[in-house]
Amino acid sequence: MERVLEWSILVRFHEKNNGEGMEWSILVRIHEKNNGEGMEWSILVRIHEKNNGEGMEWSILVRIHEKNNGEGMEWSILGLPAIQPRLVAVSKTKPAEMVIEAYNHGQRSFGENYVQELLEKASDSKILSSCPEIKWHFIGHLQKNNVNKLIAVPNLFMLETVDSLKLADRVNGSWQKKGSLEKLKIMVQVNTSGEDSKHGLPPGETVTTVAHILQKCPSLEFVGLMTIGSFGHDLSKGPNPDFQMLISLREELCDQLNLPIEKVELSMGMSTDFQHAIEVGSTNVRIGSTIFGERDYPNKPSSDKAPREIKGQLENLTVKEH
Ligand SMILES: *Cc1c(COP(=O)(O)O)cnc(C)c1O
């Protein structure tokens, strides 16, 4: 008995401009017919691109359809909306020269975790003159008696670590006194791992704290949630539960306070886990040692690793800052 095999491929390219931006899809249908014992399958790839005036948004839908004689199998993958995460280059313990070098390669967002160090670096005359568009993020624990000092930092762009109502009120008042025309962007830090050594709100207080900021802190602009998370999570055991908790807190928050999800950023991911963080939806990664090399702390034996070349490290990262 001879087997007759017959097959065809259809490729259809469709482009639609519906006035609200571009939409296009490709349909690939591969048809295989095997002498009455037929098998048929098709792949649909739809790429949707939308420009809502506030930036670009796109998603990919891949549907693979397999039909096998009534015992069909069907599955699909829906791509996450593509976001371009912001890269915050964490320059703590590193000299002004390294900040300027990274700036000269196009980096604009930088992070520090000590108020005094941030104030000194951001006020450095070389940085002030060579980096006019620099955006500083404060990512360390903020004590109330340091709020005024932080608010005095030149080019302060975002405070990522608001972790109590009282701190929010204090920052709001201090920013108001400064009389800036723009609100200060802030994130609420959540202690998702529950470790005593980590700062941040208990997860259960997130919604009330954000509600308070929205209603009572007119000088602050709430832009997202931040977590540090536990270190060294083993990915073979599944996604990092700290990241998952931040994602579900955002859902709860948006649900209860009626906020659009794309208005609430997630700051998560550092040198060791930023790829994973981006895969699950981070919009802001904070990366230090991968860019600037290991940090030397006074009480730690100095490492024998050669400092990294900043330009190469920035280019190796798959994220861009914005
Ligand atoms: C130091 C620090 C980082 C960067 O850590 P690396 O492991 O060097 O990338 C990120 N987030 C916070 C809050 C930090 O203090």
Side-chain angles (χ1 to χ4, degrees), residues 27-259:
L27 171 74
V28 181
R29 179 172 295 146
I30 302 184
H31 185 83
E32 194 183 308
K33 209 162 75 186
N34 187 347
N35 259 2
E37 291 179 11
M39 191 215 266
E40 196 184 296
W41 56 280
S42 62
I43 305 175
L44 170 74
V45 181
R46 179 173 296 146
I47 302 188
H48 183 84
E49 198 181 303
K50 200 166 79 182
N51 190 336
N52 60 6
E54 287 187 5
M56 207 56 124
E57 193 183 301
W58 57 279
S59 58
I60 303 177
L61 170 76
V62 182
R63 181 171 295 146
I64 301 186
H65 184 84
E66 193 182 310
K67 207 162 75 185
N68 187 346
N69 264 358
E71 288 181 11
M73 190 216 266
E74 198 181 299
W75 55 278
S76 62
I77 306 166
L78 183 62
L80 288 170
I83 36 127
Q84 179 76 281
R86 179 191 301 109
L87 167 59
V88 178
V90 179
S91 51
K92 61 192 189 196
T93 78
K94 301 296 178 184
E97 288 69 30
M98 286 181 113
V99 171
I100 295 169
E101 191 185 342
Y103 185 95
N104 287 341
H105 291 298
Q107 181 64 26
R108 291 293 177 269
S109 302
F110 291 84
E112 288 284 337
N113 70 335
Y114 285 109
V115 177
Q116 183 60 31
E117 185 179 355
L118 172 56
L119 184 60
E120 282 170 19
K121 231 174 264 184
S123 311
D124 180 284
S125 60
K126 291 187 297 290
I127 289 190
L128 283 173
S129 60
S130 347
C131 312
E133 292 170 16
I134 199 164
K135 295 170 180 169
W136 288 105
H137 288 229
F138 186 70
I139 60 173
H141 180 57
L142 181 59
Q143 275 156 348
K144 288 181 205 75
N145 59 1
N146 267 331
V147 168
N148 286 335
K149 201 181 218 177
L150 177 74
I151 296 309
V153 166
N155 301 309
L156 178 68
F157 181 75
M158 194 186 291
L159 162 60
E160 295 197 15
T161 49
V162 171
D163 61 1
S164 73
L165 291 180
K166 281 184 181 158
L167 182 63
D169 289 340
R170 184 72 72 96
V171 174
N172 179 61
S174 182
W175 193 256
Q176 222 155 24
K177 264 195 225 115
K178 188 181 166 179
S180 171
L181 292 177
E182 292 191 22
K183 296 183 180 200
L184 176 64
K185 292 181 177 22
I186 60 109
M187 289 190 181
V188 166
Q189 181 180 3
V190 186
N191 185 356
T192 49
S193 63
E195 292 166 273
D196 288 343
S197 59
K198 299 265 158 59
H199 293 287
L201 275 177
E205 293 176 20
T206 310
V207 176
T208 47
T209 304
V210 174
H212 174 91
I213 291 168
L214 294 173
Q215 288 155 17
K216 303 276 164 62
C217 300
S219 296
L220 306 184
E221 179 185 354
F222 169 74
V223 297
L225 301 176
M226 179 269 203
T227 187
I228 295 182
S230 52
F231 298 116
H233 171 71
D234 177 2
L235 279 180
S236 70
K237 299 199 165 69
N240 188 325
D242 289 305
F243 297 169
Q244 288 186 303
M245 180 177 289
L246 208 65
I247 293 165
S248 59
L249 280 173
R250 174 172 65 176
E251 252 170 51
E252 190 186 331
L253 185 70
C254 291
D255 233 40
Q256 296 198 17
L257 302 180
N258 206 10
L259 299 172

Side-chain angles (χ1 to χ4, degrees), residues 83-87 274-276 278-279 285 287 290-291 312-321:
I83 36 127
Q84 179 76 281
R86 179 191 301 109
L87 167 59
F274 73 91
Q275 286 104 333
H276 172 59
I278 290 169
E279 275 166 21
V285 291
I287 303 179
T290 296
I291 297 172
Q313 289 308 317
L314 282 171
E315 283 168 356
N316 282 343
L317 294 172
T318 52
V319 289
K320 294 252 168 2
E321 59 93 47

